[in-house]
Amino acid sequence: MLGFINTFVKMKIQHLKYISLLFFILSCTSPQEYKFFIGFSQCTTADSWRKDMFDGMERELSFHPEMVLEMKDANNNSQKQIVQIQSFINKKVDLLIVSPNESEAITPIIEKAFQAGIPVILVDRRTASNKYTAFVGADNFLVGQNAGIYANILLNGIGKVIEIGGLPGSSPSIDRHKGFLSVLNKYPQIKVELINSNWEKNSFENNLAKALQIDPSVKLIFAQNDRLALAVHQLLLRLGLSKKIKIIGVDGLADENGGLDMVNKGMINATILYPTGGEEAIQVAAKILKKKSFRKENILFSTIIDAKNVRIVLSQTQKMKGQQGDILRQSTKLKTLNQTYSSQRNRLYFITVLLSILILLGALLLYLLREKQHSNKILEEQNHAILEQKNEIEKVSMLARKATEDKMRFYSYISHEFKTPLSLILTPAEDLLHRKSIEPKENRTTLELIVKNANRLLRLVDQLLELRKLDAGKIELHGNQNDLRTFVKDIVGDFSVKAKSQQIDLQFICPFQTVPYSFDAEKLDKVFFNIISNAFKYTPKGGLIHVTLLKNVDKIEVIIADNGIGMNEEEKTHAFDLFYRGNQNISLGTGLGLALSQEFVTLHGGQIELNSEKEKGTTFKVILPCNQEGLFFQEPIVEMAVLKVHHVDNDFITGKKAMKQTFENTIVLIEDNHDLNDFLTQKLSQYYNISASENAEIGWEEILNHIPDLIISDVMLPGMDGFSLIQKVKSDFRTSHIPVILLTAKGQIENQIEGTKAGADAYIPKPFNQQLFEEKIKGLLENRDRMRRRFSNEVKNPSNLQKGERKFLIEFEALIEKNIKDSSLSVEKLSYELGMSRVQLFRKISALTNKNVTDYIAEFKLQKAKALLSESEKNIAEIAYETGFNNPSYFTTFFKQKTNKTPSEWRNQ
Ligand code: FRU
């Protein structure tokens, strides 16, 4: 007996170890993702044994989270159980566990489920068929046998036995009965009577009580379960038979009034251990579902428990229950852990997904960033290209603008070139028309002037056409071999008269007797004529112009050197520039000469070099290649005399013309065009004293010399231009009062504004009407007179004067005031103090006040004396000294002369 118990206990402990290991493994593994659905049809759930079975199942299921179990309770009703099993079949459960209420009744539905392919595990009770997958439970026949064996031991082979059977159609009831009888039938003195029950109390007590009444010799009652045994014990107690009749039960549960408890308390004699098999049923189910090998018949261990072994079994069972409790707690903990794990896993999944998204986003961002950088780079390149294009366009448009400006400048230049000769045609022609009687000689001079200027216009037009041809590349060289020495010498000779009139040292120098050379005489004639004309333009009276012809192995040089006013750097740079006008110092007299000259020399394969220094002079070097094959011309030699197309103005005047002091008003005229200068001088000298110059430098000297009443000046002048001259005149207090008329071809409004700003009093564009011009001069002079007359009446209040003039007079009066006591105060002293010459001061004061300086000082003294007489207590002598009279009687004479009263009379009036 003890051996059995040990085996049982060892098995349970082994089992628990295995469970713990499984728990550990499971706790380490992740929960399965799939699920098995198990239907469990229980015949009843009303007793502790069934509860124990279900607890065992749940414990085991806690290790199989992949399996889900649903239990239906048939309440000891076979029909109900059939319906419930059918519903599990309908649900297509993965596995069915059934504890059949009655064998025969339940067999068809189990077979149906089995045939439908649903694995079926029978627990505790069997069906009447072998169509099931596995059986888990103890051997009830053996249970009956053990009860029989123990009954025989208790009865010692003699006595009456009553067996309380279970539900008659249930397999344990049948098998236990069979097993019981199989043992006791061997003892003929033992009689067995069967009373049926439905496994529960109240179903048999009446029958048992009757049976005990009928046969009081009953020695032992075998109840097929412990609940029936308890009811038997209670009945026997009531009947007072408990000491007389022995009781054997089945199940062996450890709880209160369970088999073990009753054996321990002596309420019954023994119980046959009948395990529920809940855990084992789930273990088998797991094997089946996971397609592992399993046993069809899983027979559970069963043994007899009586007073001898009950304590150890109880203690082991309680120990086991404790461990089962631990397992349950751990299982609960495991569930919590699983849930935590699951939520953590979900979180991990979420974080992983989030991280993946972040990584993806990061990658996308990186990609976009790269893309952006790439497109930025492309954009930058495009921008750069656009910028370059823009710069290029700007450059081109700047060039275009410059070209337009150059053209405009050229047109303006050409207009000027045309306007001057036009003025000299129109003005004398109109003059002739308005004259009533004309001297024949004068008539001829005027007509000659007209013809001369018409020819000049023609020359200009020719030059323009040649430039046009040059521009279009149509101009060709025509000529043959000639003596260049003779050619150049003749051109220089043409200027000899002009040189003489201007007292210029003109020389032609050539160390060779003859310089044979192939050239286009017509073109080179224009080149040398233009350059020499230019030299004359800038060389003052008494200067020198030397023309030198040199010949080398491979080149000929014609050097035209002067010691004239020279050019500055900018003028040099643009000397050959067709459109350039710069600060207007470039000669206009040569027309398009220098630009054209350079083109002609280039046509000959040569070049022109220019050296010039301001105030020192200018040297043009015409370099022509010689002995070059390229210089052969097919056309016949043309006579040189015919080629002379130029005309030297030998009646050229530079500097000033002598002025006769005949008239009241003096005019300084500055006009670089000789003919116009001459014409105007001739016309104006009929009414005014004229000092005429051809450049502003000489003109300025004349202005200072004469302090004229009017200045007439051209704007475009060689050297200092008209605007600069006005500025000089207006900013010098010696000359600031002098009205200025600007006379120029430049008719544009902006030039007029420029001239007016500079201080011009009038602006007359060329060509002008002579009569109108003369009226303008007259008007300006009369204005000045009117102003002077008015001023002479109000010396102390020169309100009509310009600011600069007023300031001058205030300073002048302050100077008189300062020196008024000085009897030796003179015009010389005042002019010295003011930094002017005596004449300049005289002219200035006269121009501003219509008075001479001496009168002005006397007037000032008189005014002062009058003021002192009327406002002070000073006596006459004192006042005489105060006003610079050494002698009071001289003061009295002076005062009476001016006022017709003596100072005393004047004071007392
Ligand atoms: C529980 C029970 C047990 C018995 C078994 C037989 O319902 O009555 O007491 O041993 O059923 O199936």
Side-chain angles (χ1 to χ4, degrees):
M1 178 64 76
L2 268 175
F4 275 123
I5 293 164
N6 278 339
T7 316
F8 167 74
V9 171
K10 270 184 190 164
M11 269 183 67
K12 281 287 168 187
I13 290 170
Q14 198 78 20
H15 189 66
L16 283 171
K17 273 186 190 166
Y18 168 71
I19 288 168
S20 301
L21 183 72
L22 196 68
F23 167 77
F24 175 75
I25 293 164
L26 277 171
S27 66
C28 295
T29 55
S30 61
Q32 299 291 328
E33 299 216 341
Y34 56 90
K35 284 211 158 73
F36 295 116
F37 189 78
I38 299 170
F40 175 31
S41 172
Q42 181 64 300
C43 54
T44 177
T45 59
D47 57 79
S48 307
W49 192 86
R50 295 286 159 186
K51 191 176 171 300
D52 198 58
M53 181 197 272
F54 191 67
D55 286 349
M57 283 182 165
E58 283 216 305
R59 250 192 330 273
E60 190 60 31
L61 279 168
S62 69
F63 303 119
H64 298 279
E66 76 280 8
M67 300 201 299
V68 173
L69 182 134
E70 185 192 343
M71 186 186 76
K72 286 183 194 288
D73 180 3
N75 299 111
N76 292 317
N77 184 331
S78 299
Q79 281 313 306
K80 192 174 178 183
Q81 189 165 37
I82 290 165
V83 173
Q84 288 174 347
I85 293 170
Q86 183 57 53
S87 81
F88 279 137
I89 296 170
N90 294 345
K91 269 192 187 174
K92 292 189 173 139
V93 292
D94 297 299
L95 189 137
L96 196 60
I97 299 174
V98 184
S99 182
N101 189 45
E102 293 167 295
S103 301
E104 294 290 342
I106 303 302
T107 301
I109 191 74
I110 296 293
E111 285 186 341
K112 189 179 174 186
F114 184 72
Q115 276 159 2
I118 299 171
V120 181
I121 298 173
L122 298 177
V123 288
D124 160 41
R125 300 181 190 182
R126 290 179 183 270
T127 57
S129 147
N130 63 355
K131 287 185 178 161
Y132 59 89
T133 312
F135 171 76
V136 177
D139 183 345
N140 279 300
F141 187 80
L142 189 62
V143 168
Q145 273 188 327
N146 279 332
I149 290 165
Y150 197 75
N152 181 46
I153 293 167
L154 288 175
L155 293 173
N156 208 12
I158 304 170
K160 172 81 183 275
V161 172
I162 292 179
E163 181 186 4
I164 309 293
L167 185 69
S170 65
S171 71
S173 175
I174 297 163
D175 291 345
R176 285 173 194 176
H177 179 64
K178 280 181 187 166
F180 192 58
L181 288 183
S182 73
V183 173
L184 293 184
N185 281 347
K186 290 174 190 165
Y187 305 100
Q189 292 179 0
I190 295 177
K191 298 288 174 209
V192 176
E193 182 188 339
L194 177 68
I195 296 174
N196 281 319
S197 77
N198 64 357
W199 294 112
E200 305 302 329
K201 65 189 281 192
N202 301 328
S203 61
F204 72 95
E205 284 98 328
N206 289 340
N207 292 342
L208 178 60
K210 275 180 203 168
L212 288 172
Q213 240 179 350
I214 296 166
D215 186 355
S217 66
V218 174
K219 292 275 176 5
L220 186 141
I221 297 173
F222 168 46
Q224 282 198 10
N225 72 22
D226 289 333
R227 292 190 310 283
L228 294 171
L230 176 65
V232 169
H233 168 70
Q234 285 166 346
L235 183 71
L236 291 181
L237 272 180
R238 278 199 307 272
L239 296 173
L241 297 170
S242 61
K243 294 235 168 37
K244 196 184 143 202
I245 300 171
K246 302 203 177 343
I247 303 170
I248 299 171
V250 177
D251 282 350
L253 293 178
D255 56 350
E256 196 183 356
N257 289 339
L260 294 180
D261 186 46
M262 288 194 295
V263 171
N264 193 37
K265 288 174 179 167
M267 291 158 72
I268 60 173
N269 296 80
T271 182
I272 313 300
L273 193 72
Y274 185 66
T276 60
E279 288 159 349
E280 290 82 353
I282 297 300
Q283 286 164 12
V284 174
K287 284 180 185 167
I288 294 168
L289 287 169
K290 290 175 188 174
K291 314 276 185 219
K292 289 181 181 168
S293 66
F294 64 96
R295 274 190 302 193
K296 184 171 180 179
E297 297 300 323
N298 299 276
I299 306 302
L300 302 175
F301 173 75
S302 171
T303 189
I304 301 166
I305 312 290
D306 62 3
K308 288 177 206 146
N309 63 8
V310 72
R311 285 179 188 278
I312 186 159
V313 175
L314 254 180
S315 86
Q316 289 300 333
T317 308
Q318 273 157 7
K319 204 173 173 184
M320 195 185 71
K321 287 254 176 202
Q323 285 176 341
Q324 281 177 348
D326 287 348
I327 290 171
L328 207 67
R329 274 193 300 280
Q330 284 179 347
S331 151
T332 316
K333 208 173 173 184
L334 182 70
K335 261 187 195 161
T336 320
L337 283 173
N338 268 340
Q339 277 169 2
T340 313
Y341 165 78
S342 175
S343 77
Q344 298 283 17
R345 187 192 56 180
N346 287 345
R347 255 181 233 173
L348 188 71
Y349 284 165
F350 178 71
I351 290 169
T352 312
V353 169
L354 207 71
L355 262 174
S356 310
I357 291 171
L358 279 176
I359 290 168
L360 274 174
L361 281 176
L364 188 73
L365 207 73
L366 205 72
Y367 171 76
L368 288 176
L369 206 75
R370 289 245 171 100
E371 279 292 295
K372 199 185 155 208
Q373 279 174 346
H374 182 64
S375 21
N376 270 355
K377 207 177 153 198
I378 292 175
L379 259 177
E380 240 172 54
E381 281 169 10
Q382 283 176 346
N383 267 354
H384 188 71
I386 289 169
L387 207 73
E388 271 183 359
Q389 279 175 5
K390 193 186 145 215
N391 288 343
E392 196 57 34
I393 290 168
E394 264 174 16
K395 223 155 105 187
V396 170
S397 77
M398 208 181 76
L399 285 174
R401 200 167 52 239
K402 195 176 170 299
T404 313
E405 277 170 10
D406 284 349
K407 270 187 191 156
M408 294 315 290
R409 198 179 293 133
F410 177 70
Y411 292 143
S412 149
Y413 172 87
I414 289 297
S415 308
H416 180 91
E417 286 298 295
F418 277 88
K419 275 190 175 177
T420 305
L422 273 172
S423 298
L424 286 166
I425 294 167
L426 280 172
T427 311
E430 278 172 4
D431 190 50
L432 280 179
L433 273 173
H434 288 96
R435 293 286 271 278
K436 283 163 192 156
S437 62
I438 310 161
E439 294 279 314
K441 195 189 160 211
E442 197 180 340
N443 196 359
R444 185 172 173 79
T445 316
T446 307
L447 286 173
E448 273 173 4
L449 185 64
I450 291 169
V451 170
K452 188 173 153 188
N453 279 286
N455 276 325
R456 180 183 273 177
L457 273 179
L458 194 65
R459 268 208 311 280
L460 272 170
V461 172
D462 281 348
Q463 283 182 335
L464 267 181
L465 286 174
E466 287 199 74
L467 266 175
R468 172 88 187 86
K469 277 196 225 160
L470 260 174
D471 227 21
K474 284 180 184 164
I475 207 152
E476 288 171 355
L477 291 179
H478 302 284
N480 215 325
Q481 201 170 61
N482 277 300
D483 179 16
L484 192 65
R485 182 184 192 278
T486 314
F487 179 76
V488 178
K489 193 180 173 206
D490 282 356
I491 296 170
V492 174
D494 289 341
F495 284 90
S496 58
V497 177
K498 185 181 181 111
K500 200 170 173 189
S501 76
Q502 291 181 237
Q503 295 166 24
I504 283 175
D505 172 23
L506 176 68
Q507 287 186 40
F508 173 70
I509 305 149
C510 180
F512 307 100
Q513 282 303 308
T514 160
V515 180
Y517 186 59
S518 291
F519 62 96
D520 184 327
E522 188 186 330
K523 293 186 177 61
L524 283 195
D525 174 78
K526 284 173 184 164
V527 171
F528 295 128
F529 175 76
N530 272 322
I531 298 174
I532 297 168
S533 290
N534 199 64
F536 269 95
K537 193 78 192 165
Y538 296 103
T539 306
K541 189 176 172 183
L544 63 85
I545 297 171
H546 289 177
V547 180
T548 311
L549 174 59
L550 298 172
K551 186 177 181 286
N552 262 334
V553 187
D554 58 350
K555 63 182 177 194
I556 291 165
E557 290 179 351
V558 182
I559 302 152
I560 299 100
D562 68 57
N563 64 350
I565 60 171
M567 299 179 191
N568 61 27
E569 283 309 310
E570 199 193 347
E571 289 164 348
K572 271 197 280 185
T573 315
H574 298 285
F576 300 102
D577 193 342
L578 183 63
F579 304 119
Y580 183 77
R581 201 194 65 205
N583 64 2
Q584 301 156 358
N585 288 349
I586 298 289
S587 165
L588 303 172
T590 52
L592 312 169
L594 284 180
L596 204 58
S597 299
Q598 193 176 47
E599 295 296 337
F600 287 165
V601 172
T602 308
L603 270 179
H604 280 80
Q607 66 192 78
I608 302 179
E609 278 179 11
L610 166 65
N611 271 307
S612 185
E613 210 177 324
K614 205 75 190 150
E615 310 302 341
K616 296 225 164 124
T618 303
T619 303
F620 284 94
K621 192 187 274 183
V622 179
I623 303 165
L624 296 163
C626 61
N627 292 337
Q628 278 205 1
E629 287 178 19
L631 285 171
F632 286 112
F633 305 108
Q634 275 108 46
E635 292 197 10
I637 302 166
V638 186
E639 276 302 312
M640 266 186 234
V642 183
L643 294 173
K644 285 192 181 172
V645 290
H646 57 256
H647 173 84
V648 180
D649 296 333
N650 285 323
D651 50 352
F652 216 85
I653 296 173
T654 302
K656 61 183 183 185
K657 291 174 189 167
M659 186 180 77
K660 283 184 240 160
Q661 291 284 353
T662 320
F663 304 101
E664 188 191 343
N665 288 313
T666 303
I667 295 174
V668 168
L669 168 70
I670 306 161
E671 167 58 60
D672 67 329
N673 183 285
H674 171 70
D675 289 333
L676 189 58
N677 191 310
D678 217 19
F679 177 76
L680 289 176
T681 306
Q682 186 203 326
K683 291 292 164 200
L684 297 177
S685 56
Q686 294 171 32
Y687 318 105
Y688 308 104
N689 307 318
I690 300 292
S691 163
S693 335
E694 290 193 2
N695 63 54
E697 284 82 2
I698 297 169
W700 174 241
E701 279 173 27
E702 288 301 285
I703 291 165
L704 288 182
N705 276 343
H706 301 294
I707 309 290
D709 300 284
L710 183 73
I711 298 165
I712 299 169
S713 174
D714 194 3
V715 171
M716 295 170 84
L717 292 166
M720 191 199 308
D721 67 13
F723 295 142
S724 310
L725 178 76
I726 291 188
Q727 272 167 4
K728 214 171 161 95
V729 167
K730 295 293 175 184
S731 59
D732 191 311
F733 69 86
R734 295 171 291 183
T735 54
S736 56
H737 63 283
I738 305 169
V740 182
I741 293 177
L742 277 182
L743 186 64
T744 176
K746 297 192 72 183
Q748 280 103 354
I749 191 75
E750 61 266 28
N751 298 124
Q752 293 194 26
I753 291 168
E754 200 181 345
T756 312
K757 262 191 196 163
D761 296 79
Y763 198 98
I764 297 181
K766 292 179 194 172
F768 53 84
N769 179 291
Q770 180 64 23
Q771 223 179 341
L772 192 74
F773 178 54
E774 284 174 11
E775 284 307 317
K776 194 97 189 175
I777 295 169
K778 225 164 123 189
L780 268 175
L781 288 170
E782 275 173 9
N783 258 350
R784 178 67 31 155
D785 269 352
R786 259 199 303 281
M787 201 263 295
R788 279 197 302 194
R789 273 196 299 280
R790 189 165 176 183
F791 180 75
S792 65
N793 294 328
E794 42 173 314
V795 178
K796 294 282 175 186
N797 182 23
S799 54
N800 284 333
L801 290 177
Q802 283 175 3
K803 205 178 160 194
E805 308 307 328
R806 205 155 55 232
K807 187 168 170 259
F808 171 78
L809 278 181
I810 290 165
E811 277 173 17
F812 181 61
E813 285 177 3
L815 194 65
I816 301 171
E817 177 81 49
K818 193 176 138 197
N819 298 289
I820 198 162
K821 287 182 189 165
D822 182 357
S823 59
S824 63
L825 180 65
S826 62
V827 179
E828 283 78 9
K829 187 169 181 181
L830 286 172
S831 60
Y832 176 76
E833 291 269 333
L834 290 166
M836 300 167 85
S837 72
R838 187 180 179 283
V839 176
Q840 282 166 346
L841 180 62
F842 186 85
R843 298 280 300 160
K844 175 101 189 171
I845 294 299
S846 164
L848 289 176
T849 66
N850 207 21
K851 287 185 167 63
N852 69 46
V853 186
T854 321
D855 289 348
Y856 191 90
I857 298 168
E859 183 70 21
F860 191 88
K861 286 187 171 185
L862 183 68
Q863 296 300 334
K864 173 101 183 180
K866 280 179 180 174
L868 287 171
L869 282 169
S870 57
E871 289 160 21
S872 77
E873 299 290 308
K874 290 181 177 166
N875 61 38
I876 307 298
E878 283 170 331
I879 293 172
Y881 288 121
E882 285 279 310
T883 50
F885 292 91
N886 277 341
N887 187 337
S889 66
Y890 177 58
F891 168 64
T892 306
T893 314
F894 163 78
F895 197 86
K896 190 162 186 188
Q897 259 179 9
K898 297 287 178 184
T899 62
N900 285 330
K901 284 178 182 156
T902 64
S904 310
E905 284 168 354
W906 196 87
R907 180 176 254 179
N908 298 325
Q909 67 184 356

